[in-house]
């Protein structure tokens, strides 16, 4: 197989960058007029918001808006500005739909329908399913290596990568948790936590891919490989959170880390005689391609619920199951090989 072609394909995917700048919806005169009226009257059409009552000096009549909301609703953290933007957006998109016009983005985001205050309900639901699946995969791996496979005399596992997969599972579940939170309510804090947890997970995945593919078991060698990646990822996270929250830079960093580990796994899956290498091929090729396509190909949410991100989340469910199946197979394969050598 000509690997140069695969490299060119993946590089081409990552090099396609979507145009940045103001969204078309932001510049719409009808939308802007609705927003100005809502911020003055606290109403969009016949729908009015309790936390949009202001006095002549611009202060809320009844105190901070979050003190006016019932306790069970305060978690949503929707303020006057957010509610005005949302309902003006939905109202304008309904008008555009009647005129036969295509949906446009508002403030950098496609129009979604909220459900009980949840900003992107389908993506949140799927992220929750993936989180549960990752937890199940981790627990099944834990039970396998500690209770079903043979242990060394010191009660440690024969599988040399057990600890690394535990760390991987924790970082993975943390990333999917913040993914669900971020799609529930997109504010600066949730966005930073989501991006930071995701790049930490991707960075550690690169370390794990390198150590497993090159069969590195010496602790000193592992530290030498992991240290630069950890330092780079940590610096990047600190830069995003405390200096400049550059989404474009974060996309490039995450893409580069993903690309490198995809190539490592693909090359190893081709060179090895691992009995479950087909699972690795399936997850890396399909998952890697879909994740890159999500970044490249963006479209308006179908029915204002399902977008490219939601489709990627749906695909990640079977891929996640196959991935942990491969991890368990790898643990059995390595344990069996080592036991044969000790006899």
């Amino acid at each position: 197989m000509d690997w140069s072609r695969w490299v060119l394909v993946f590089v081409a995917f990552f090099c396609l960058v979507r145009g940045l700048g103001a969204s078309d919806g932001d510049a719409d005169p009808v939308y802007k007029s609705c927003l100005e009226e809502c911020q003055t009257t606290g109403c969009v059409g016949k729908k009015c918001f309790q936390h949009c009552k202001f006095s002549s000096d611009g202060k809320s009549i009844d105190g901070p808006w979050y003190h006016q909301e019932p306790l069970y609703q305060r978690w949503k953290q929707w303020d006057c500005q957010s509610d005005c933007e949302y309902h003006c957006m939905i109202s304008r998109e309904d008008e555009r739909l009647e005129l036969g016009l295509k949906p446009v983005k508002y403030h950098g985001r496609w129009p979604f329908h909220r459900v009980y205050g949840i900003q992107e309900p389908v993506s949140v639901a799927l992220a929750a399913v993936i989180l549960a699946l990752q937890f199940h995969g981790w627990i099944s791996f834990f039970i396998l290596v500690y209770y079903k496979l043979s242990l060394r005399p010191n009660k440690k596992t024969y599988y040399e990568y057990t600890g690394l997969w535990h760390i991987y599972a924790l970082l993975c579940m943390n990333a999917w948790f913040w993914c669900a939170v971020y799609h529930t309510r997109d504010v600066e804090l949730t966005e930073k936590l989501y991006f930071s947890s995701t790049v930490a997970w991707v960075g550690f995945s690169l370390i794990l891919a390198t150590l497993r593919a090159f069969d590195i078991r010496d602790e000193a060698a592992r530290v030498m490989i992991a240290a630069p990646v950890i330092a780079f990822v940590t610096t990047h996270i600190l830069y995003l959170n405390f200096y400049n929250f550059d989404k474009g830079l974060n996309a490039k960093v995450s893409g580069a880390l993903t690309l490198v580990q995809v190539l490592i796994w693909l090359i190893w899956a081709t060179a090895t005689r691992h009995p479950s290498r087909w699972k690795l091929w399936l997850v890396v090729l399909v998952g890697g391609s879909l994740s890159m396509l999500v970044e490249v190909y963006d479209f308006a949410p179908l029915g204002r619920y399902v977008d490219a991100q939601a489709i990627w989340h749906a695909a990640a469910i079977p891929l996640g199951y196959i991935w942990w199946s491969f991890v368990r197979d790898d643990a059995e394969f390595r344990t069996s090989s080592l036991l044969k050598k000790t006899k």
Side-chain angles (χ1 to χ4, degrees):
M1 180 176 291
D2 187 355
W3 280 103
S4 62
R5 293 182 181 178
W6 282 109
V7 174
L8 289 174
V9 169
F10 282 105
V11 170
F13 272 124
F14 277 108
C15 289
L16 291 172
V17 180
R18 290 171 292 182
L20 300 175
S23 302
D24 293 337
D26 304 356
D28 188 327
V30 178
Y31 171 77
K32 292 170 69 175
S33 175
C34 174
L35 203 57
E36 291 173 1
E37 182 180 352
C38 178
Q39 292 171 345
T40 302
T41 64
C43 300
V44 175
K46 296 182 180 180
K47 187 175 184 63
C48 298
F49 316 113
Q50 183 179 6
H51 47 261
C52 281
K53 296 178 181 179
F54 297 102
S55 60
S56 58
D57 60 358
K59 294 182 179 180
S60 176
I61 295 175
D62 299 324
W65 66 268
Y66 48 82
H67 289 166
Q68 303 161 27
E69 295 280 8
L71 182 62
Y72 69 91
Q73 291 183 347
R74 294 180 190 173
W75 67 272
K76 295 183 296 184
Q77 295 291 295
W78 294 107
D79 55 13
C80 180
Q81 176 74 17
S82 299
D83 269 337
C84 286
E85 289 177 356
Y86 171 73
H87 289 283
C88 282
M89 174 188 70
I90 294 298
S91 175
R92 180 55 181 151
E93 281 301 301
D94 288 341
E95 294 173 358
R96 290 177 59 86
L97 182 62
E98 292 179 0
L99 295 172
L101 300 175
K102 294 181 179 180
V104 295
K105 287 186 176 182
Y106 297 80
H107 307 286
R109 300 183 63 85
W110 288 111
F112 284 88
H113 277 308
R114 293 184 197 165
V115 175
Y116 297 108
I118 298 175
Q119 199 163 334
E120 299 175 32
V122 175
S123 289
V124 171
L126 292 173
V129 172
I130 297 169
L131 177 59
L133 176 68
Q134 294 294 332
F135 179 74
H136 174 269
W138 177 41
I139 293 300
S140 63
F141 170 74
F142 183 91
I143 293 173
L144 173 70
V145 294
Y146 287 106
Y147 295 99
K148 294 184 178 181
L149 298 179
S150 301
L151 296 175
R152 297 177 186 272
N154 58 3
K155 300 302 181 181
K156 291 185 178 181
T157 64
Y158 279 95
Y159 187 52
E160 311 95 322
Y161 306 96
T162 300
L164 294 175
W165 283 113
H166 288 332
I167 298 173
Y168 170 90
L170 294 174
L171 290 174
C172 177
M173 290 187 291
N174 179 64
W176 281 110
F177 171 79
W178 288 114
C179 175
V181 172
Y182 166 71
H183 287 294
T184 298
R185 180 69 171 99
D186 176 12
V187 295
E188 184 178 359
L189 177 61
T190 58
E191 197 168 24
K192 286 183 176 180
L193 288 169
Y194 169 49
F195 284 5
S196 299
S197 58
T198 300
V199 76
W201 171 37
V202 172
F204 186 80
S205 299
L206 174 58
I207 295 172
L208 181 54
T210 305
L211 298 181
R212 179 63 189 95
F214 293 97
D215 197 20
I216 299 173
R217 286 170 279 178
D218 181 71
E219 290 299 326
R222 287 186 173 188
V223 171
M224 290 178 64
I225 291 172
V229 179
I230 293 174
F232 173 76
V233 171
T234 302
T235 302
H236 174 68
I237 292 174
L238 292 174
Y239 176 85
L240 286 180
N241 286 276
F242 301 106
Y243 184 73
N244 181 21
F245 189 50
D246 190 336
K247 298 180 185 178
L249 174 64
N250 183 69
K252 293 176 183 177
V253 169
S254 297
L257 293 172
T258 302
L259 174 61
V260 175
Q261 65 177 292
V262 163
L263 293 176
I264 290 174
W265 282 124
L266 286 177
I267 293 171
W268 181 72
T270 303
T272 186
R273 294 184 179 180
H274 198 290
S276 297
R277 58 186 178 276
W278 67 270
K279 295 180 181 179
L280 189 58
W281 268 98
L282 180 62
V283 172
V284 173
L285 275 180
V286 177
S289 299
L290 281 176
S291 65
M292 288 182 283
L293 283 172
V294 166
E295 293 298 322
V296 174
Y297 181 63
D298 194 16
F299 58 85
L302 305 174
R304 298 183 190 168
Y305 288 107
V306 180
D307 64 341
Q309 196 72 39
I311 292 175
W312 157 235
H313 287 180
I317 295 174
L319 291 176
Y321 180 84
I322 297 172
W323 179 247
W324 277 107
S325 175
F326 164 76
V327 175
R328 292 192 297 270
D329 290 348
D330 189 48
E332 291 186 38
F333 176 69
R334 287 295 305 164
T335 301
S336 176
S337 298
L338 289 172
L339 284 174
K340 289 179 181 178
K341 291 180 181 179
T342 58
K343 292 181 179 179

